[in-house]
Amino acid sequence: SSDLGANAPERLHGLALCCTGAKLGTREDYVTRAELVRREGAGVTVDGARERWFTPAFRDAAEARRILEQLAEISAEGYAACAEAVGEWDFRDQLDRVTPGALVLFGEDDPVTPAEVRETLLSGIPDARAAYVAGAAHLANVEQPDAFTSAVLAHLEETGA
């Protein structure tokens, strides 16, 4: 994680930050989602997740359906607590402390990590480079596993990890 890259860089040869950001969305968005899930259950998030996590071409694939079915069944309290944690997470002011070479890997069509989220990581981490997985949204590793894995492995080889 970026936290480990900033606070224990000597433990890492390289870092792959995948489909993430130093800050995602707003605290208010995540608090609202947590309240909704506590009231109605995690199943209420499935339609939105389907739109954010997968491209239109993949949304009806068996793997996407399986993941969304699992999402509907998870603990409402567990989901809500995670949503609140994501809403509170803000690592933007510490990015310059991340010293291992970082691959910043995104699904090319990921609405969760728009351009400003991507650019914050790339401009904030001193030794960062971007890679994009074509034909993928937020769960790029699920949607395009071969391209995702190839990008991560190439970075690990380059950094000697």
Side-chain angles (χ1 to χ4, degrees):
S1 78
S2 54
D3 186 53
L4 190 57
N7 294 309
E10 71 282 357
R11 296 175 65 189
L12 303 173
H13 293 286
L15 186 62
L17 301 173
C18 304
C19 306
T20 191
K23 175 72 178 155
L24 296 176
T26 68
R27 179 185 180 281
E28 295 75 22
D29 290 341
Y30 284 100
V31 167
T32 299
R33 190 178 305 167
E35 290 170 352
L36 178 65
V37 167
R38 282 190 176 106
R39 203 171 44 249
E40 298 184 28
V44 72
T45 67
V46 168
D47 289 342
R50 183 178 182 267
E51 300 298 309
R52 290 186 307 274
W53 291 359
F54 305 112
T55 62
F58 194 79
R59 288 178 186 151
D60 293 320
E63 184 68 2
R65 286 194 317 269
R66 183 186 65 76
I67 289 169
L68 294 168
E69 288 167 4
Q70 289 175 342
L71 173 62
E73 299 299 320
I74 67 170
S75 156
E77 183 55 35
Y79 183 102
C82 286
E84 290 166 342
V86 170
E88 292 295 328
W89 173 254
D90 189 345
F91 202 75
R92 292 175 290 188
D93 65 347
Q94 298 182 59
L95 289 173
D96 62 341
R97 295 179 47 226
V98 177
T99 57
L103 171 67
V104 180
L105 182 61
F106 298 102
E108 190 173 41
D109 301 312
D110 184 357
V112 179
T113 58
E116 62 271 13
V117 169
R118 299 169 187 193
E119 186 53 38
T120 297
L121 285 177
L122 290 167
S123 64
I125 297 172
D127 184 14
R129 70 174 184 84
Y132 298 90
V133 178
H138 191 54
L139 296 188
N141 60 317
V142 172
E143 200 159 357
Q144 298 293 339
D146 293 339
F148 180 92
T149 301
S150 292
V152 171
L153 290 176
H155 176 68
L156 295 176
E157 288 175 8
E158 288 172 16
T159 60

